[in-house]
Each structure stands twice: as C-alpha cells, then as structure tokens.
Amino acid sequence: MIDLHKKNMQDNIEIETAFVEKVPNGTDTSVLKAKENNAKKFLCASLAVIVAFVGIVCGLVNKRNENIIAQQKIEKIENKQNAVNVVAPVTPDATKTVGAQAPANSTKPESTTKAPNTPKVAKPGTMDKPTTIKIDKDKWYLTLVNAGYRIPSSYEPDLVYVCNSGQRLDRRVAAAYEKMYNAALKDGATLTPCSGYRSYERQEKNYNRKVDFYKGQGYSEQEAKKEAATRIMPPGSSEHNLGYAMDIVCADSWFKDTKEFKWLMENAQDYGFILRYPEDKQKITGVIYEPWHWRYVGVETAKQLKESGLVLEEYLGVAK
Ligand code: ZN
C-alpha cells in the first residue's frame, strides 16, 4: 500500500512538472498561478455556500419535526379527553363553563386553547401590559399565572396552614399537599413545606428589590424587570400569590439531588402536583429551572402533563 501511495505521489509530481513544462514560451506562469488560485477560491466559496445551505435546510427540518412532536402530544391528550367524554355525561351546567380564567373586564374572552376540554384562556399580555385575570370557580386548579397573566392585587385566597408548619396554601391545595406529604413520609421522604402562600405586597417588595439589584448592575429599567422576572415573579403573577404552589424543603438547586426530589418526580402527579418550571422549558415558562417549586393542577391534568412532558402554557395552548 505504502509503495502504491508513493508511486501515486510520484505520478502526481510528474504530471504537475509536465504541466509546467508544457507552458508555451513567453507565457507568464504567475498569471496561470493566479488563475489557478482564483479557481480554488471560487471552489472554496461555493463549498461554503453549499454547507451553509445544507445547515439551514437541516435546521428547518428539525424545527418542523419539533412542531410535529408537540402537536402529536396535544392530539394524544385531546383523544384521551374525548374518550373520557364518551363515558362521562355532560351536564347542562358544565357546557356553560367559560374556563379557568377570563379577562377581568370581559365576559367573552378570546381563546387560543387547543385541547377541547381545557378552559378558554385569554390572550397573554406582556410584561408591561399584563392581562388581568379572574379565576373560574369550576376549573380554578388550571389558573395560569405568569408575567403575561396576573391576578388582581385584591385577590384573597382561602388559606390554611399546612402540615403543622408556618406555611399556608389555598385550602383545597393544602388538603392534596397533606395527602402527598403523608404518602412520601411512609416512603422515607420528608416534603417539608418551605414557602407556600405569599401576599401580593410581599411579592411586590421582593420583585422590586430584585429589579433594583439588576439596575445596580447596569441594566436598563426594562431589562432589569425582565431579568428579575426569571427569578422572582412580578406581583400577581406568582403561583405563590394564588396559594397553589409550595417550595419544598428549600429553594436551592441542590434539592434536585435529594431523595425527596426523586420521590416527587415519581409520585407527585398522583396527588395533583407538577414540577412547574422544568429545566428544558425555560424559554416557554420564562422562569429558571426550579426543582423545589411544585404546583397543584389536579390529579388528571398532572398525570397528562407528566405523560406528555408539556408545561401548563403548552397544555392551555398559549405557549409563545
Ligand atoms: Zn416557588
């Protein structure tokens, strides 16, 4: 093989030499070289364009596949919900349900909901002009709050203390939390309530402090508000203001390495709780990965979200 290779190399050298020798007298060889270099440059540029084009096409195909997968997940949920409808008789009152939330000043919310049985949800607002919501009595547990959807400052949940701790939750959520707490305890995991309900005023204070911190770092007002909201939700947009969520054990990233976190990942959906801000959904939720933050959405929805891997925004069809 090596000999053959050497021979090929020699042949190439000979061919090249022959080419140079056959140049007619008087022809400037530097002109030929320049032409050759230009041809090479053109070839390289062409290759670069082709590679870039292939890259763009692959990117588009990947994006399309992601959309298809997300759509399939939603369709799967729709099919399940339709199957439930067949066996569950629909009462006349149930058909009047307008959803978990509607704009506070409107009785006819615009809907972008995809799954038929999920409540109609108003269009999301922005950081500066959030949509103010009111909570539906029937599907209260699906109430979506984030930077674009906020409850009014006047909202007052019915609160009770949880598991003999100093933390409070919405009475209905507290009952589910106690059930989950006791089940985990039997398995050797202690789901200590760390931070439950927070008042609108307290949220406002915490959030403003964070905004000031980022402004001190040189951020503009707008940027500071946006950055702060990835860590501390603006007042009215936190699930802690609703009394639907509990920070369990602590509010620190090491929680993900505990047996309590492992237990929650395996069992929380059976008690109606979800990991609200997963690591791979930060672009959709707008919030950093929070392994300690567990939100109540009801057992049926929690199981569907767990199975599909969707977050609440996707489930309700308002993911940006
Ligand atoms: Zn939290």
Side-chain angles (χ1 to χ4, degrees), residues 195 198 238 240 245-247 277 290 292-294:
S195 184
R198 262 175 242 148
S238 167
H240 291 285
M246 180 67 82
D247 292 341
Y277 306 118
E290 292 193 355
W292 56 84
H293 181 104
W294 291 78

